[in-house]
Amino acid sequence: MPEKSPESAMAPQKLLCLPSLLLLLLTRLLPQADTRSFVVDRDHDRFLLDGAPFRYVSGSLHYFRVPRVLWADRLFKMRMSGLNAVQFYVPWNYHEPEPGVYNFNASRDLFAFLKEATLANLLVILRPGPYICAEWEMGGLPAWLLRKPKIRLRTSDPDFLAAADSWFKVLLPKIHPWLYHNGGNIISIQVENEYGSYGACDMSYMRHLAGLFRALLGDKILLFTTDGPEGLKCGSLQGLYTTIDFGPADNMTKIFALLRKYEPRGPLVNSEYYTGWLDYWGQNHSTRSVPAVTKGLENMLKLGASVNMYMFHGGTNFGYWNGADEKGRFLPITTSYDYDAPISEAGDPTPKLFAIRNVISKFQEVPLGPLPPPSPKMMLGPLSLHLDGNLLAFLDFLCPQGPIHSILPMTFEAVNQDHGYMLYRTYLIHTVSEPAQFWVPNNGVHDRAYVMVDGVFQGVLERNMKHNLFLTGKKGAKLDVLLENMGRLSFGSNSSDFKGLLEPPILGQTVLTQWLTFPLKVDNLVKWRFPNQLLKSSHPQTPSGPTFYSTTFPILDSGGDTFLFLPGWTKGQVWINGFNLGRYWTKRGPQQTLYVPRPLLFPRGALNKITLLELENVPLRPQIQFLDRPILNGTVHKTHICSLSAESASEPMELSGH
């Protein structure tokens, strides 16, 4: 069946029961592509949609954090909440995994998402970057940019501009038919993202992007910028409409007054009104109270402002896609991106949603009819997992091309490994009979190292953390260091976030050289369902360190959404039926369960397979459970960690942007 154009997707269905004359009259009265417009009315401080006063009440939802089969459900609930627009980012690294290789298929089909928004009767505010933050891996920038180690990201560095230009010359022409004045649903497009918070303040870079967007999209589309109050100076640009972001706890009057210094006339716009907040591993789960969120929203709507709520539905950082912040130390984002949003991670309406809907109804019509009830939930287990084997035993399958030899260890970027794990191996050149400290200078572990001698797990080194790890070993002993990339910085640093061993490790007084580097394709191994001939006789008595476990289980009925609970497990990665569900870190918290969407599971008796890569220590009884509700705030006591910086782990941290 041929794809519908955006114009036909937006067009009303024919009313066959009406006389043809009335049909003709209706057709002439409806706005056509050549009369459709979305513009700023500076004389009256408002937007005009097709010439009529208009204000958007929007919510953020990220298609890349929600399984494709659930897009329509989430968008419909947003529309039923009273929203008239959806705002979302386009992550460059999600669509261009290698230079010149583009993917807009399946869960990456941005245009299918635009169609679903059309069907839900939602206009679109698009944020294509190139940088997006969003607590997403490297803020949406592709890791392959770092294969040029001296590249200066988000500046007019020729290498960065060439890559960004090439990407936008593919993306933006695909977007062009979807612009509102062309019959589509995109009313405005953001250039860059909170650039004023970056520190580079390269205005020639911003002018270059603005010119490129204009050249590829034309003069009719509204282009805008978004910044926090402190970022307006370097983030705004003449010719782009200036908007701001702030949350319920901020001084609305003061912030909008500041915005007026940069955008004296036109509608007030809060592009990110925070309904909740993100979570870091080792911190408490973030929440924002319903009264605070609704009060701030109502106050802005009374002023006639247009508002986008960030997030309206958060979703999940599946796989390796979470980002990280840097505030005195490295702070990776949790797998859950629930965000305490009005629609929960599992897609269910919350009390916050109904309170927001009530506020919106005071200012504009809300669609009639109830919201769908929460989705069915499922409990299962406990299930016992069996040992598949130690990660080291699978090296031939994890790295079929063999290792790379180098005198000094190589970074992930140097060997074209964007995500996941790499193994570094060397051999001791003399006997170490007395315990000697093993460490990496200059905070050179990016991000977490699991250390083994002759296959026996010794301990962990972690970025920005003081770990005292002492090793012994005979001459010729095999030293393995498994390195985990825990997500590249998405906010809080102007430096490129290289991964791996950035410096050669030191054992005692000896700098270790002559390394074998194994880039690991763990997801491929899991999808192959493990070669059965391995490890039948070599299972360790008490397994520790990086080890694979799995089991199969049936679901006898139609099943439902569920939440994977891993009591007693330490830290690792989970796959369900070959799908990378994401990271767990039960020991550090706060997140204790992983959301498992119903479409990932085979119902009615078919066997499902769950695979764990446990990186540290396995519980005495290696069991898991599926619960009917999430546990997102499992940090009973705030984690106290000895950091390399002077900042105490127990101090409250400043909030990042998006």
Side-chain angles (χ1 to χ4, degrees), residues 292-598:
V293 171
T294 53
K295 180 182 177 183
L297 176 63
E298 185 162 358
N299 287 339
M300 284 186 289
L301 296 181
K302 283 178 180 176
L303 287 178
S306 284
V307 180
N308 174 73
M309 285 169 270
Y310 190 105
M311 299 289 298
F312 208 83
H313 171 54
T316 309
N317 293 314
F318 294 116
Y320 309 113
W321 287 112
N322 67 278
D325 281 358
E326 187 174 56
K327 293 164 184 172
R329 66 183 183 278
F330 180 71
L331 295 166
I333 310 297
T334 57
T335 300
S336 171
Y337 200 65
D338 177 86
Y339 214 85
D340 195 32
I343 298 175
S344 74
E345 183 178 11
D348 295 331
T350 67
K352 188 175 287 182
L353 181 148
F354 292 104
I356 286 172
R357 188 189 196 203
N358 183 52
V359 170
I360 295 172
S361 71
K362 299 176 184 179
F363 298 90
Q364 58 194 42
E365 284 190 19
V366 170
L368 296 174
L371 271 94
S375 62
K377 303 296 188 297
M378 179 186 76
M379 294 182 70
L380 189 67
L383 304 174
S384 294
L385 273 62
H386 65 259
L387 175 65
D388 287 315
N390 191 290
L391 176 140
L392 297 178
F394 292 101
L395 272 186
D396 288 344
F397 295 91
L398 289 164
C399 186
Q401 74 276 20
I404 301 161
H405 180 269
S406 61
I407 296 173
L408 302 179
M410 303 175 74
T411 64
F412 277 56
E413 295 75 21
V415 300
N416 297 354
Q417 176 89 347
D418 289 341
H419 310 292
Y421 305 88
M422 291 214 310
L423 184 81
Y424 296 87
R425 172 173 288 176
T426 192
Y427 297 87
L428 300 188
I429 58 173
H430 55 77
T431 297
V432 181
S433 53
E434 295 295 323
Q437 186 169 10
F438 179 73
W439 62 291
V440 182
N442 299 321
N443 195 26
V445 173
H446 281 207
D447 300 307
R448 194 169 168 88
Y450 307 91
V451 182
M452 294 151 278
V453 176
D454 285 334
V456 179
F457 183 56
Q458 304 293 316
V460 174
L461 297 178
E462 187 176 347
R463 180 173 177 172
N464 293 123
M465 302 296 173
K466 291 177 181 175
H467 289 272
N468 291 320
L469 181 58
F470 292 85
L471 307 180
T472 60
K474 294 181 179 179
K475 180 181 178 179
K478 183 172 58 181
L479 173 63
D480 287 313
V481 183
L482 180 70
L483 240 295
E484 180 187 7
N485 167 1
M486 290 175 58
R488 288 181 182 82
L489 293 171
S490 49
F491 188 87
S493 173
N494 290 5
S495 60
S496 299
D497 190 12
F498 297 97
K499 297 300 186 184
L501 290 176
L502 307 192
E503 300 271 348
I506 296 173
L507 181 59
Q509 302 298 316
T510 304
V511 177
L512 301 178
T513 59
Q514 303 299 335
W515 290 91
L516 297 173
T517 301
F518 298 78
L520 305 183
K521 305 300 181 188
V522 183
D523 294 77
N524 289 351
L525 178 68
V526 172
K527 287 173 184 173
W528 293 339
R529 303 242 166 176
F530 289 95
N532 291 324
Q533 72 272 26
L534 285 181
L535 300 177
K536 293 300 180 188
S537 61
S538 60
H539 290 170
Q541 293 290 321
T542 309
S544 69
T547 313
F548 288 102
Y549 280 78
S550 67
T551 194
T552 57
F553 59 95
I555 296 169
L556 299 180
D557 55 16
S558 59
D561 287 347
T562 188
F563 302 91
L564 174 63
F565 182 41
L566 300 138
W569 298 79
T570 307
K571 186 184 193 305
Q573 204 88 22
V574 187
W575 292 261
I576 299 254
N577 294 325
F579 178 84
N580 192 331
L581 205 61
R583 310 174 203 268
Y584 67 89
W585 203 346
T586 309
K587 190 171 182 180
R588 189 164 291 186
Q591 181 179 356
Q592 299 292 307
T593 58
L594 296 180
Y595 171 53
V596 183
R598 178 180 176 181

Side-chain angles (χ1 to χ4, degrees), residues 277 280 325-331 491-492 645 647 653-657:
W277 201 250
Y280 302 114
D325 281 358
E326 187 174 56
K327 293 164 184 172
R329 66 183 183 278
F330 180 71
L331 295 166
F491 188 87
S645 74
E647 178 188 350
M653 289 173 297
E654 292 180 16
L655 302 180
S656 84

Side-chain angles (χ1 to χ4, degrees), residues 195 200-208 233-237:
Y195 190 65
C201 208
D202 185 343
M203 300 318 291
S204 63
Y205 162 66
M206 285 294 289
R207 283 191 290 270
H208 175 90
K233 182 179 179 181
C234 288
S236 58
L237 186 70

Side-chain angles (χ1 to χ4, degrees), residues 209-229:
L209 285 183
L212 180 69
F213 278 45
R214 279 281 170 238
L216 295 172
L217 297 172
D219 294 330
K220 291 184 178 180
I221 185 66
L222 177 66
L223 300 180
F224 71 99
T225 60
T226 298
D227 284 279

Side-chain angles (χ1 to χ4, degrees), residues 248-266:
D250 296 308
N251 187 323
M252 178 191 73
T253 304
K254 183 178 178 181
I255 291 174
F256 275 149
L258 178 63
L259 177 61
R260 279 295 183 220
K261 293 181 180 179
Y262 292 86
E263 200 64 76
R265 300 306 304 266

Side-chain angles (χ1 to χ4, degrees), residues 76-131:
F76 175 72
K77 287 169 181 169
M78 291 174 72
R79 180 69 188 107
M80 292 301 291
S81 302
L83 306 186
N84 54 17
V86 58
Q87 177 174 287
F88 61 90
Y89 289 117
V90 180
W92 180 5
N93 55 8
Y94 199 58
H95 294 284
E96 192 178 359
E98 291 289 332
V101 177
Y102 303 100
N103 188 348
F104 292 98
N105 300 318
S107 62
R108 290 165 169 80
D109 191 342
L110 162 64
F111 311 102
F113 186 75
L114 285 167
K115 288 177 186 174
E116 292 291 359
T118 295
L119 294 173
N121 197 24
L122 290 168
L123 297 167
V124 169
I125 301 158
L126 193 71
R127 313 172 86 186
Y131 165 82

